[in-house]
Amino acid sequence: MDGDVELDADGWESRHRAVYGCGAWERACRQGGLMTAWHQEQDPLFGASASRRHGADPGARVKWPWGSGPHTLGLLLWRTAYDAGILVDEVPLADVLRHCDPAAPPPAAGPMPAAARDGGIGAGGVEAVAGVRPVLLAHLTPELPRTARAGARPAATVGYRVREILATPDWDHGDWPAVIALARQAMRRADVLREQGTWRPGARERSLYGRVSLDREPAAVTGARGGRAPGWLARATHLVGLADVLTGAVEALPRDDGGTPEPLVQALQATARACAGLRTSSEEVRQLWAAEPQEPRDAADWELSHVPETLRVQTEETRELVRTLSAFLWTLACA
């Protein structure tokens, strides 16, 4: 970074570490890597040679003229956030796209993070910047889920879009519907085994309903200034807390000497995993809420601009899974 902005850059870096636990460059590379990986999954031939695209010679993927695709996009995210003095996740994707304009100066012509300049990645080039343009365009115009409400989608920021794709069903980096289906399957199997007499839950299993209190309403979450946080944040934080509660319950249950988890253990573990799937997004949103310089006038509007519809759906489906587990534990208690 340039010496004349060192003090501002230090404060900017400190804000990233306070919110994300890492520096701006590391955060930009992480988000750029996820966005690139998502695009490559949608278009497996992205970055391949022309002959491969036309089905002639499979060949090998062409190398990025500057570093790698994720690092190239990461540099654009970093530079846009740096120029605006904002967090990487708060950068509008449309602003990043401006760096892909052929008339725009290459990233290497301006400030760069030391890790990019000195870390053996290379210097920015126009070819690589042009290469990541399809990635940005794909994230600016994704297909909206059917459950999205008309007019509810705000201008996409980096963080909003990453939270959106991480909560998108069947994406390789986090298939939460499969985890929920596994938990429901484990409960059905436990019910069948109990009715057949193959599995006989003991007193510890039967008392679990009263000990874990899954039907308790989530407590309100407050911000740094004491104001009430968005309702989604309270629900998601509650579910993440239940992941730890369920994990602790599993550790307290009797062990099977045969090494195979008991039916109830499988159901608890899968449900805990589903709840834990909200941990990263809920922590990020909580930190962003706390980092607001002033209390937003409308928490619901703030939530709309930070919590995508796919993440809302994941949260509600996880809440429904917890309700199902609670009913299952009630059945055991009454057996």
Side-chain angles (χ1 to χ4, degrees):
M1 298 180 183
D2 294 343
D4 58 343
V5 293
E6 183 176 356
L7 292 178
D8 289 339
D10 285 346
W12 181 67
E13 282 287 346
S14 296
R15 289 173 57 202
H16 280 84
R17 295 191 181 281
V19 175
Y20 305 116
C22 65
W25 171 243
E26 184 180 347
R27 184 66 179 181
C29 287
R30 186 258 187 188
Q31 303 298 66
L34 285 170
M35 292 170 67
T36 303
W38 178 88
H39 184 63
Q40 286 177 323
E41 187 174 305
Q42 309 307 307
D43 180 9
L45 296 182
F46 173 69
S49 62
S51 61
R52 182 179 176 186
R53 285 185 177 275
H54 290 87
D57 178 12
R61 288 180 182 269
V62 295
K63 294 183 178 179
W64 290 86
W66 178 83
S68 65
H71 281 114
T72 302
L73 181 53
L75 179 62
L76 298 187
L77 302 182
W78 182 93
R79 178 64 185 279
T80 308
Y82 181 95
D83 290 344
I86 60 178
L87 296 171
V88 167
D89 282 34
E90 297 292 75
V91 167
L93 289 177
D95 291 354
V96 185
L97 190 63
R98 294 169 188 165
H99 285 284
C100 297
D101 189 325
M112 290 179 63
R117 190 182 299 279
D118 305 327
I121 297 174
V126 294
E127 296 89 350
V129 173
V132 298
R133 180 181 173 85
V135 180
L136 285 168
L137 288 174
H139 287 289
L140 275 166
T141 56
E143 291 186 6
L144 294 180
R146 295 179 181 178
T147 54
R149 291 171 291 173
R153 182 182 175 82
T157 60
V158 172
Y160 182 98
R161 179 57 185 149
V162 169
R163 285 189 288 275
E164 184 174 46
I165 62 176
L166 286 176
T168 299
D170 300 326
W171 191 56
D172 184 55
H173 280 250
D175 190 2
W176 59 266
V179 178
I180 289 179
L182 182 63
R184 293 185 180 279
Q185 180 182 3
M187 282 182 250
R188 289 194 295 269
R189 176 175 175 271
D191 248 346
V192 170
L193 294 177
R194 181 181 60 83
E195 291 177 356
Q196 293 176 343
T198 307
W199 172 55
R200 294 183 174 86
R204 194 70 176 169
E205 287 88 349
R206 293 195 303 273
S207 67
L208 202 56
Y209 174 81
R211 289 188 287 113
V212 297
S213 301
L214 296 181
D215 54 355
R216 182 180 301 168
E217 287 298 313
V221 178
T222 57
R225 294 154 302 281
R228 290 173 66 90
W232 173 86
L233 188 54
R235 295 189 296 274
T237 301
H238 177 68
L239 290 170
V240 171
L242 287 183
D244 300 329
V245 170
L246 293 173
T247 299
V250 168
E251 294 174 353
L253 289 176
R255 300 285 180 175
D256 182 3
D257 295 337
T260 302
E262 292 283 350
L264 179 57
V265 168
Q266 295 180 34
L268 295 176
Q269 287 176 332
T271 305
R273 183 182 167 200
C275 292
L278 295 164
R279 190 183 303 275
T280 298
S281 292
S282 64
E283 289 179 352
E284 287 181 0
V285 173
R286 178 177 57 81
Q287 290 282 11
L288 289 171
W289 174 262
E292 287 288 345
Q294 295 181 345
E295 193 79 48
R297 291 184 178 181
D298 191 324
D301 283 348
W302 187 94
E303 180 179 307
L304 281 175
S305 65
H306 290 81
V307 183
E309 185 71 17
T310 55
L311 186 53
R312 295 171 190 275
V313 173
Q314 178 184 359
T315 305
E316 292 310 309
E317 291 291 333
T318 305
R319 292 184 76 195
E320 185 59 34
L321 173 66
V322 170
R323 295 188 190 102
T324 303
L325 178 61
S326 181
F328 172 71
L329 295 180
W330 170 252
T331 300
L332 292 186
C334 297

